[in-house]
Amino acid sequence: MNDFYEIFLSAHCIPAISIFSYNANAQSYKRIHKKAILVDTHNDLLSECFEKHVSFDEDLTGITQSDLNRFAKGGVDAQVFSVWCDGKKENPYNYAKTQIDTLYATAQRHPDKITIVTNSKELKKAVKQKKLAAMIGVEGGHMIENDINKLDTLYSRGVRYMTLTWNNSTPWATSAMEETHDSLLHQPKGLSNFGKQIVREMNRIGMMVDLSHVGEKTFWDAIETTNKPVLVSHSCAYTLCPVYRNLKDDQIKAVGKNGGVIDINFYSAFLDSNYAKRESAFMAKHKKERDSLLATNIDKDLVASTIYKKYKEEFYAISPPLSIIIDHIDYIVKLIGIDHVGIGSDFDGVSDATPQQLADVTGYPLITKALIERGYSKKDVYKILGGNFIRTFKANENTGKRPGY
Ligand SMILES: [Zn+2]
């Protein structure tokens, strides 16, 4: 959530050139998209609905980037709903449980359309039944309030991944945001002994260790500690877009070696290193309007989104093309092979700042089209859209009996 505005300008960007380009047969990409199991590992719709006082079983077109019916239109088979609260909220653990309750309540109202799944077998069963397989991921280790026992409660409520940090560090793990701004960090970088204990406990109970948002030192400590494949639920390649929380080449290679998966974030500022400059110029042009909205105490993300919507065409023109997502996928594939990349959109966490043709979840089939145009085979597309994640998910599952269960 709210990766928006955490933009850091960078000096270098490698332009993407498509070598293999041919026109995908319209029918074939739709067929492949339909047949694939599309898993998106990061969507902030739950907290977005909380903030906007809406429910995602309503038609939220024009309000959010996703809702129950639009997931189906976009061909989304499995969605990990991110449970998010910023680092400043009191009682983040209770806030997390309330969001989880909302997801269960929504699923109970529509048993024919959505079901909560907690393992790969249930996921595949839901897909067969043509229901959205809903999963839960906690975004930010601060939500367990430094109590390792809370992992069990979250697990029993269906949580299957937790990012060790959000932008804020915890006392036991430092974040990418704070590691890269030493002035913000008041503790040694990386995982503390307690942090390592948390990683081992997540491995033991079957909760994926998510390394999106963590600082580099935390990343390496976690990679050394984990005995299961890791998930990077919503991040991009640093070489193409050098922002503080994208993955550097050695980190990408480490995830490949570990057997995990890196799921690509659709936030324009994490994909395109020149986007921040264009966006700033766009906002400067509408400064007067922005300032008057900010003066009414509206949240800054909502202000931006309001201006994006009002000057829709102008905003569209500064957004990167959809193909930039394929550039990041391609980059990772060339570095570590086809088995370690997937989709982690961050829809509804990036204030509408997504590439052209991807204003909402109904744009997903165009990603399949672009992958085919780039030369990816049907089998490769299946792996990227969901297969790689499902393999990682399965490898983390706890199949043995646990004490007390
Ligand atoms: Zn995030």
Side-chain angles (χ1 to χ4, degrees):
M1 173 71 180
N2 292 340
D3 282 315
F4 181 68
Y5 264 128
E6 312 305 350
I7 299 169
F8 289 79
L9 287 179
S10 54
H12 302 98
C13 179
I14 296 174
I17 299 162
S18 166
I19 301 164
F20 305 101
S21 191
Y22 63 92
N23 282 332
N25 174 299
Q27 284 311 312
S28 78
Y29 89 78
K30 283 182 186 160
R31 210 169 42 235
I32 291 169
H33 189 74
K34 210 173 163 195
K35 216 175 156 207
I37 298 180
L38 170 56
V39 187
D40 170 29
T41 54
H42 199 91
N43 182 309
D44 284 304
L45 182 59
L46 271 186
S47 45
E48 194 72 353
C49 283
F50 261 49
E51 281 168 18
K52 291 181 172 166
H53 308 293
V54 291
S55 176
F56 73 84
D57 51 354
E58 301 164 31
D59 178 5
L60 299 178
T61 309
I63 301 167
T64 61
Q65 294 185 299
S66 31
D67 57 43
L68 195 49
N69 284 336
R70 278 184 289 160
F71 280 130
K73 274 188 200 160
V76 181
D77 296 290
Q79 179 62 62
V80 186
F81 287 88
S82 168
V83 167
W84 177 85
C85 80
D86 67 28
K88 292 176 200 117
K89 269 197 182 62
E90 277 178 34
N91 308 316
Y93 175 66
N94 277 342
Y95 194 71
K97 285 197 296 181
T98 310
Q99 285 182 58
I100 293 168
D101 284 347
T102 300
L103 181 62
Y104 275 94
T106 312
Q108 276 161 11
R109 286 198 292 273
H110 304 278
D112 53 327
K113 289 185 179 169
I114 172 173
T115 184
I116 293 168
V117 303
T118 56
N119 58 50
S120 55
K121 215 172 149 188
E122 288 174 4
L123 187 156
K124 286 179 183 165
K125 191 178 161 200
V127 174
K128 260 193 200 140
Q129 293 174 333
K130 300 195 186 326
K131 293 178 189 176
L132 177 68
M135 300 173 64
I136 308 165
V138 162
E139 184 170 22
H142 60 286
M143 285 165 127
I144 61 166
E145 299 176 345
N146 305 317
D147 180 357
I148 200 163
N149 295 315
K150 290 191 166 100
L151 284 173
D152 264 348
T153 311
L154 292 175
Y155 179 90
S156 69
R157 293 294 288 144
V159 173
R160 288 298 179 271
Y161 79 59
M162 181 174 81
T163 64
L164 299 181
T165 71
W166 180 58
N167 285 334
N168 56 313
S169 301
T170 65
W172 46 270
T174 51
S175 69
M177 165 84 76
E178 296 190 350
E179 276 195 23
T180 47
H181 290 74
D182 283 336
S183 57
L184 298 172
L185 193 60
H186 307 291
Q187 66 193 76
K189 290 179 182 177
L191 283 180
S192 69
N193 284 336
F194 181 58
K196 289 175 187 167
Q197 209 184 320
I198 291 201
V199 167
R200 285 192 285 266
E201 180 66 358
M202 289 171 74
N203 286 162
R204 189 180 76 83
I205 67 174
M207 189 184 284
M208 283 177 283
V209 174
D210 183 355
L211 297 180
S212 270
H213 280 291
V214 304
E216 268 188 86
K217 181 73 170 75
T218 298
F219 174 93
W220 289 110
D221 286 349
I223 283 285
E224 220 170 83
T225 308
T226 185
N227 59 26
K228 299 268 178 70
V230 296
L231 168 69
V232 185
S233 69
H234 59 304
S235 298
C236 303
Y238 185 92
T239 302
L240 298 186
C241 187
V243 295
Y244 71 106
R245 72 170 209 65
N246 280 345
L247 293 192
K248 292 182 177 165
D249 288 0
D250 54 352
Q251 292 178 294
I252 294 171
K253 285 178 190 164
V255 175
K257 214 172 146 197
N258 158 276
V261 64
I262 301 160
D263 292 346
I264 300 297
N265 191 313
F266 296 176
Y267 181 31
S268 298
F270 290 169
L271 291 163
D272 177 352
S273 65
N274 290 311
Y275 174 78
K277 235 182 273 175
R278 297 196 299 273
E279 204 269 350
S280 300
F282 168 83
M283 276 303 181
K285 201 174 154 194
H286 303 291
K287 188 179 181 306
K288 227 172 142 186
E289 205 167 341
R290 180 173 181 256
D291 289 349
S292 65
L293 282 169
L294 284 172
T296 61
N297 272 336
I298 303 175
D299 173 77
K300 70 179 188 329
D301 292 357
L302 188 58
V303 168
S305 161
T306 306
I307 293 177
Y308 294 164
K309 281 189 174 87
K310 184 166 176 191
Y311 301 98
K312 218 165 132 187
E313 280 165 27
E314 203 186 322
F315 178 61
Y316 189 84
I318 66 155
S319 301
L322 179 143
S323 61
I324 201 163
I325 292 172
I326 317 301
D327 297 341
H328 282 259
I329 290 174
D330 227 20
Y331 184 82
I332 292 173
V333 169
K334 284 185 178 122
L335 212 56
I336 56 172
I338 189 70
D339 294 318
H340 307 284
V341 67
I343 305 291
S345 71
D346 219 352
F347 271 130
D348 282 308
V350 295
S351 298
D352 297 334
T354 41
Q356 292 174 357
Q357 300 178 289
L358 268 181
D360 69 7
V361 291
T362 61
Y364 272 121
L366 296 177
I367 290 181
T368 299
K369 184 171 185 270
L371 284 168
I372 296 165
E373 283 174 349
R374 193 66 68 95
Y376 283 96
S377 70
K378 187 166 71 175
K379 213 173 134 200
D380 291 344
V381 172
Y382 291 167
K383 283 186 174 186
I384 294 165
L385 292 189
N388 291 336
F389 169 77
I390 294 170
R391 184 201 68 240
T392 305
F393 182 30
K394 199 164 181 231
N396 275 270
E397 278 167 15
N398 187 340
T399 47
K401 283 211 168 36
R402 300 189 45 238
Y405 276 71

